[in-house]
Amino acid sequence: MPSNLKAAITRRGFFRFAAGASAAVAGLPVVTEGMLAHAQRGRRLGDPNHGVHIDSNENPLGPCDAARQAMMSMVPMGGRYLMNQESDMVELIAKQEGLDAKNIRAYAGSSEPLAYTVLAFTSPSKPLVIADPGYEAPMFSAQSVGAAVLKVPLSDPHGAAAHDVKAMLAAASNPGVIYICNPNNPTGSCTPRADIEHVVANAPKDTVVLIDEAYIHLCDAPRSMDFVKEGKNVIVLRTFSKLYGMAGVRMGFAVGRPDLLEKLDYFGRNFLPITATSAAIASLKQADLVDTRKKITAGTRADTMAWLKQQGYAVTPSESNCFMLDTKRPGKEVLMAMAGKDVFVGRIWPAWPTNVRISVGTPEEMMTFRKAFTEVMANPATAWMESPRAHGGKFGEGSTARWS
Ligand code: PLP
């Protein structure tokens, strides 16, 4: 057993993780965006059918029609294992991406390979290097194996908000994992290809550069699969949870050199639901789906961001389905007041305490957001106090607080 895993499953390691991660995300080091949003929102207000939920970077469109049909036609076959489904999906991904099937491992979402990569390659002597503000899930995994988390502020936070790759490389002499999220969650901003090339070329020999492309379909930024094709120490993550609208259906995959992927296998692999693999196959076969959905999200995002700018608020230059909004006052107050109006916006990152993350919902949802935001900004503290629904809710004290 690797020594870092041993550390993770000691009683002390487990409780350290559980205590910090809050009840909603305790128990296993596989943390998802949904858990983080839910932990902040509180159990009582977790009903996605109630209010406007723009706090988890979900896709309100859900699975495309072809994926829905594929899932429904699979239901009668649910009594069978249908072993070929997963390999068919992997073969299709390999063909579309110009990869070999042995470079791909499919999982129920990309949270698993994200956690497993950090668990496999970080340790008490091999830290995780991550951008700040950045996606928190890998930090939980690093913490669970006793690895240090080195947070490097985004460069030019009021402008491009890209990963500061030079500072990330300088942060540690022997990082286990350097995590690049492109586009970044929560800012939605992209890191230039030259910077990603720089980090891949200059990372220490044993360091894995983990490039999380959960949101890549929503933008035109260059993809990173070529690093894997060139045999670099790179693992790329993709998910069907975002553009493909399958967050609840669960499907994702890791792409890497076979020897790197084998290290992830230690943490477990399971047969994947045939509904999810069939929905993924059907989605991948829709030639125009990525472009169509990318345009839909981009349109709603542009309208919302333009409106916010007109009102005098700064937003990050997002190419994704989320962005950070500077509310010019404690973001937590705004978040709570918005929740009081049944509009649930994303959490706060301690490094940017006046910002809240906004996910891009439907045009109608974003109009509801505008109305609530206008009312709240007239007096956020009062809006919160007046809300009977909000009382007793535990907002803004979610899982990110421990990283401050
Ligand atoms: N990576 C990032 C940056 C995310 O924001 C998410 C989800 O929001 C994921 C990975 C994993 O999502 P899932 O497990 O649903 O594939």
Side-chain angles (χ1 to χ4, degrees), residues 97 99 103-105 107 110 113-114 117 180 182 193 196 200 208-214 216 222-229 232-239 252-257 260-261 264:
E97 297 290 343
L99 291 159
N103 293 119
I104 301 168
R105 286 277 192 291
Y107 296 89
S110 64
L114 174 52
T117 304
I180 307 280
N182 196 45
R193 166 71 187 195
I196 299 179
V200 172
V208 169
V209 180
L210 179 59
I211 305 178
D212 189 335
E213 294 193 336
I216 198 78
R223 279 51 175 160
S224 290
M225 294 299 186
D226 53 322
F227 296 125
V228 175
K229 291 176 202 167
K232 307 282 193 218
N233 256 12
V234 168
I235 293 179
V236 180
L237 301 177
R238 291 273 178 92
T239 180
F253 58 96
V255 176
R257 268 195 343 250
L260 294 180
L261 296 180
L264 275 55

Side-chain angles (χ1 to χ4, degrees), residues 266-347:
Y266 184 84
F267 300 94
R269 291 184 68 189
N270 199 355
F271 181 71
L272 294 165
I274 59 171
T275 39
T277 43
S278 66
I281 291 170
S283 302
L284 290 171
K285 286 184 174 166
Q286 300 303 297
D288 57 349
L289 186 65
V290 172
D291 272 355
T292 310
R293 287 192 161 196
K294 181 168 56 181
K295 280 190 193 120
I296 292 171
T297 304
T300 313
R301 180 184 69 223
D303 288 348
T304 309
M305 290 186 8
W307 178 80
L308 284 163
K309 283 183 199 165
Q310 267 167 23
Q311 311 304 306
Y313 295 101
V315 288
T316 47
S318 173
E319 299 180 47
S320 182
N321 69 347
C322 65
F323 57 89
M324 286 290 244
L325 160 62
D326 190 346
T327 64
K328 302 191 258 189
R329 53 183 94 199
K332 189 172 157 185
E333 271 176 31
V334 176
L335 181 149
M336 291 192 296
M338 293 291 286
K341 294 181 178 298
D342 290 333
V343 176
F344 300 95
V345 298
R347 55 192 177 273

Side-chain angles (χ1 to χ4, degrees), residues 28-308:
L28 280 173
V30 179
V31 174
T32 66
E33 172 61 49
M35 287 175 183
L36 293 165
H38 190 86
Q40 167 194 270
R41 201 190 293 147
R43 185 178 295 273
R44 206 165 60 85
L45 298 171
D47 178 1
N49 298 313
H50 178 87
V52 169
H53 284 263
I54 46 174
D55 58 353
S56 312
N57 293 354
E58 295 158 330
N59 189 337
L61 299 174
C64 67
D65 285 344
R68 291 175 196 210
Q69 289 302 325
M71 284 192 277
M72 285 189 294
S73 63
M74 245 337 128
V75 169
M77 301 296 289
R80 305 273 172 203
Y81 286 110
L82 297 190
M83 299 302 287
N84 60 313
Q85 277 280 128
E86 188 178 320
S87 49
D88 287 355
M89 183 190 74
V90 168
E91 292 291 345
L92 180 58
I93 295 167
K95 191 166 161 225
Q96 292 190 343
E97 297 290 343
L99 291 159
D100 195 299
K102 68 178 188 306
N103 293 119
I104 301 168
R105 286 277 192 291
Y107 296 89
S110 64
S111 298
E112 268 181 86
L114 174 52
Y116 299 162
T117 304
V118 176
L119 293 173
F121 296 103
T122 66
S123 69
S125 60
K126 291 188 141 292
L128 167 72
V129 179
I130 186 160
D132 190 23
Y135 186 45
E136 311 95 315
M139 304 191 209
F140 286 106
S141 302
Q143 175 118 0
S144 74
V145 291
V149 175
L150 305 176
K151 297 193 288 182
V152 177
L154 292 173
S155 65
D156 189 15
H158 303 294
H163 288 62
D164 187 342
V165 291
K166 292 200 172 126
M168 290 178 90
L169 285 167
S173 57
N174 60 340
V177 171
I178 299 179
Y179 175 73
I180 307 280
C181 189
N182 196 45
N184 188 40
N185 179 7
T187 51
S189 45
C190 285
T191 294
R193 166 71 187 195
D195 288 350
I196 299 179
E197 283 173 7
H198 183 81
V199 83
V200 172
N202 293 287
K205 163 169 101 28
D206 294 331
T207 300
V208 169
V209 180
L210 179 59
I211 305 178
D212 189 335
E213 294 193 336
Y215 301 91
I216 198 78
H217 308 99
L218 294 157
C219 71
D220 295 322
R223 279 51 175 160
S224 290
M225 294 299 186
D226 53 322
F227 296 125
V228 175
K229 291 176 202 167
E230 290 162 12
K232 307 282 193 218
N233 256 12
V234 168
I235 293 179
V236 180
L237 301 177
R238 291 273 178 92
T239 180
F240 287 86
S241 292
K242 306 302 168 183
L243 179 127
Y244 293 104
M246 288 172 41
V249 177
R250 311 298 299 142
M251 186 54 59
F253 58 96
V255 176
R257 268 195 343 250
D259 62 299
L260 294 180
L261 296 180
E262 271 166 27
K263 300 270 189 334
L264 275 55
D265 291 346
Y266 184 84
F267 300 94
R269 291 184 68 189
N270 199 355
F271 181 71
L272 294 165
I274 59 171
T275 39
T277 43
S278 66
I281 291 170
S283 302
L284 290 171
K285 286 184 174 166
Q286 300 303 297
D288 57 349
L289 186 65
V290 172
D291 272 355
T292 310
R293 287 192 161 196
K294 181 168 56 181
K295 280 190 193 120
I296 292 171
T297 304
T300 313
R301 180 184 69 223
D303 288 348
T304 309
M305 290 186 8
W307 178 80
L308 284 163

